[in-house]
Amino acid sequence: DIAANHTISATFVVTSYTITATAGAGGSISDPGLVPINCGGDRTYTVTADGCHDIADVKVDGSSVGAVASYTFLNVQADHTIAATFTLKTYTITVNAGTGGTITPSGPATVNCGADESFTIAASDCYDLTDVVVDNVSKGAVPSYTFLDVQADHTIAATFTLRTYTIDASAGPGGDITPNGTATVDCGDNASYTITADGCFHTEDVVVDGVSQGAISNYVFMNVQANHTIAVTFATGVMIFVNAGPGGQINPTVGLVVVPCGGNQSFAITPDPGNGIVDVTVDGLPRGPVTSYTFTNVQTNHTITATFLDLPTPAVITKLGADPMEDGLRIHWAVESGSFSSISLERAEAEVGPWTELSAARTQDGNLTVVMDRSVRMGTTYWYRLIGTSASGAKSTFGPIKAETVEQVKAFGLSNVTPNPSGGPFTVTFSVAKEARVHLGLIDVQGREVAVLTDGVYRAGQYRAAWDGAGSRGQVPMGVYFIRYSVAGRTFTERVVISR
């Protein structure tokens, strides 16, 4: 029982909680760290990114609330966390290099805020750097440019100019060069010139950059990289280009003959012994196997070319024989006495046969029969015999003889020049019938020897002589030339064009 007054008192403590605030690199959050807050209280946090960052995300108690700049905890009843993250800003540099050069690195370029970015500007071959423009402001023809502490988007552009050169072309009296005068040529381009002599004139010389190129009819400047000059001189008279193939000659000369305007010029075409004329071509038109030709009232340049055929000339002996040839065997005989209505040729691979009749042959001029056997195998030994049948039907046997097939060269000759036309070096093929001194020279259109390809004694066979493009006075100019092959008192020529 309560029999007296009493007192009772109670004390209370306010419950508090903790808010933990953190900020990643690139910004800050107000009141970072562990901050106590009374139960039921409110607290606002401010999130701030620095100059080169943006707020990436804010997470409250592990859950994203977005890229907010502030967040308020209301009526706090528990511990909480708030964390802010930031992202680095980037900017774009737009790069534009015009035709004729490069900007390195090429664009567009992505640059972190606050970073530096350097660019190198270079012109291509045949171009010059004209200007570099940064954010629409000219910087001049600078070879490089650096953006410092990038805080915004930028642009950089370069322009280039194609270099040009001049070619001065001139022609003296008596002809023309096309194009004539001063021409502007873009760097790296080619420029072609054609030289034309007037009637009763011929090209005497073409001089390019002070160096003679000979009496050429055209010239091409390749990949122009500098200024040039080309000048042409002409002389009175008309040129006749003379060329004789292997196996014969054209007289008075082979090469270039200059004829007074309106004059006449005759040529004699003569095959070598055992050869025949195949054709004579005048200005590209066939004239047949003529032995002479005359140009009358000459007013313009001409050409005359003769080709010859190597006619087989069998040896005449008084008994059955066989000669090895390049393409087989040549069988020959002479009828010493009497006559035959027919003569047949037989072959065997052994002296005793069995025999195979190859052909029925008849005598020529009453005493000589020649058979070219093209069915033999090179490097093989055969036996041959003749069966002669008289008018009465009586048969006579001649032989047998042993015949060995080997490679042999039939005659002297100049085969070909490859390549033709040539950029300089070329190879000449020639044949030697028997041991002899050989001289092989390069002759210009004036008949001068400008280079010696070979000079010495050669045994029978086929050879090749290579020329490297150099003459006795250095590099031989472009133009028309002739290969002159001198051997055993004979001369063979072949026309060659050098065009670099």
Side-chain angles (χ1 to χ4, degrees), residues 25-63:
S28 61
I29 189 169
S30 59
D31 296 331
L34 280 68
V35 176
I37 183 171
N38 290 333
C39 177
D42 301 334
R43 180 168 293 279
T44 298
Y45 285 85
T46 300
V47 181
T48 305
D50 64 24
C52 276
H53 288 78
D54 291 318
I55 299 171
D57 193 19
V58 175
K59 289 184 177 181
V60 174
D61 297 331
S63 298

Side-chain angles (χ1 to χ4, degrees), residues 162-456:
L162 177 65
R163 292 197 296 271
T164 61
Y165 299 100
T166 58
I167 298 178
D168 291 323
S170 61
D176 196 13
I177 183 170
T178 305
N180 201 334
T182 301
T184 299
V185 181
D186 289 341
C187 177
D189 282 355
N190 302 332
S192 179
Y193 287 80
T194 301
I195 298 95
T196 306
D198 294 338
C200 293
F201 284 84
H202 66 274
T203 303
E204 184 177 49
D205 195 14
V206 177
V207 178
V208 176
D209 297 333
V211 179
S212 171
Q213 305 297 317
I216 57 178
S217 59
N218 61 76
Y219 187 87
V220 179
F221 292 94
M222 305 293 291
N223 187 25
V224 174
Q225 300 279 342
N227 296 327
H228 294 285
T229 61
I230 180 171
V232 187
T233 55
F234 302 92
T236 57
V238 181
M239 295 188 297
I240 299 178
F241 295 94
V242 184
N243 183 38
Q249 300 178 1
I250 297 182
N251 290 309
T253 187
V254 170
L256 176 65
V257 176
V258 178
V259 181
C261 185
N264 301 333
Q265 179 64 54
S266 296
F267 292 92
I269 300 95
T270 307
D272 292 340
N275 287 4
I277 301 172
V278 176
D279 193 18
V280 175
T281 302
V282 177
D283 297 332
L285 298 177
R287 300 289 180 171
V290 297
T291 57
S292 65
Y293 187 86
T294 300
F295 293 93
T296 60
N297 188 25
V298 177
Q299 300 286 334
T300 58
N301 295 337
H302 294 283
T303 61
I304 181 170
T305 302
T307 54
F308 303 92
L309 175 66
D310 183 11
L311 300 176
T313 54
V316 179
I317 58 175
T318 58
K319 62 180 179 179
L320 176 63
D323 293 334
M325 303 301 293
E326 288 182 337
D327 51 357
L329 284 167
R330 179 172 295 153
I331 311 299
H332 51 87
W333 60 89
V335 179
E336 295 182 292
S337 61
S339 62
F340 298 93
S341 59
S342 67
I343 300 176
S344 62
L345 177 65
E346 296 181 339
R347 182 181 69 198
E349 295 189 2
E351 186 176 5
V352 295
W355 298 93
T356 301
E357 182 174 344
L358 297 180
S359 63
R362 56 188 177 85
T363 62
Q364 299 178 11
D365 298 331
N367 67 347
L368 179 65
T369 299
V370 178
V371 175
M372 176 66 78
D373 185 1
R374 300 180 181 274
S375 65
V376 299
R377 300 186 301 274
M378 304 308 294
T380 304
T381 300
Y382 293 99
W383 293 85
Y384 290 86
R385 71 180 183 183
L386 291 174
I387 305 296
T389 303
S390 67
S392 64
K395 296 183 181 295
S396 301
T397 301
F398 301 89
I401 62 165
K402 182 180 180 181
E404 297 179 354
T405 58
V406 295
E407 293 283 349
Q408 287 191 353
V409 175
K410 291 189 291 185
F412 298 104
L414 183 60
S415 299
N416 58 6
V417 180
T418 55
N420 189 7
S422 168
F426 55 76
T427 300
V428 179
T429 304
F430 60 98
S431 57
V432 180
K434 60 182 180 179
E435 184 171 292
R437 173 167 289 278
V438 170
H439 183 86
L440 203 61
L442 182 66
I443 311 300
D444 65 14
V445 293
Q446 281 80 33
R448 300 170 298 189
E449 185 173 83
V450 298
V452 176
L453 279 66
T454 187
D455 184 271

